[in-house]
Amino acid sequence: QVRFVESGGGLVQPGGSLRLSCAASGFTFSIYTMGWYRQAPGKQRELVATITSGGSTNYADSGEGRFTISRDNAKNTVYLQINSLKIEDTAVYFCNLARPRVEAWGQGTQVTVFS
């Protein structure tokens, strides 16, 4: 079955950086557009970045210029590099297909930005 395992979150100060990873399995990873999502406390989950099978990327306004999504099809892994972290980036970060499989949401990885 489709499965995602996210990792790489942590506690960082504003201005810091993190690289999140997501290992995918159970489908032909290389042909799908992948997405990173986040859910802040008390808010709905939102899509923050996508990457197509060909490597084209798109970002939500909140991440433009600070987020970089990439993928390694040989490893069935998608990454999210977050630079210049802000307190408002605090959230649980998830990956899924850009058209998400509802049954496949993983545990996510917690990113906490504190001053």
Side-chain angles (χ1 to χ4, degrees):
Q1 68 275 25
V2 176
R3 187 167 181 246
F4 303 104
V5 179
E6 300 89 351
S7 61
L11 298 171
V12 294
Q13 292 186 325
S17 298
L18 284 173
R19 189 191 194 208
L20 309 183
S21 300
C22 171
S25 60
F27 65 104
T28 307
F29 176 82
S30 61
I31 67 173
Y32 283 93
T33 297
M34 295 298 300
W36 275 98
Y37 303 76
R38 70 183 182 186
Q39 187 166 17
K43 295 187 178 181
Q44 289 190 332
R45 195 170 336 209
E46 61 172 342
L47 179 64
V48 297
T50 61
I51 184 167
T52 69
S53 58
S56 296
T57 59
N58 197 26
Y59 301 95
D61 289 344
S62 57
E64 191 69 53
R66 299 188 301 118
F67 290 8
T68 303
I69 188 172
S70 60
R71 66 191 297 161
D72 185 337
N73 289 336
K75 295 182 179 180
N76 284 5
T77 300
V78 60
Y79 304 96
L80 185 68
Q81 177 73 37
I82 311 175
N83 297 326
S84 302
L85 276 156
K86 303 177 180 180
I87 291 176
E88 52 264 41
D89 293 322
T90 295
V92 180
Y93 286 71
F94 303 87
C95 73
N96 205 319
L97 280 68
R99 294 183 178 181
R101 297 283 183 91
V102 174
E103 74 281 4
W105 290 109
Q107 295 296 310
T109 187
Q110 176 71 50
V111 172
T112 303
V113 185
F114 70 102
S115 59

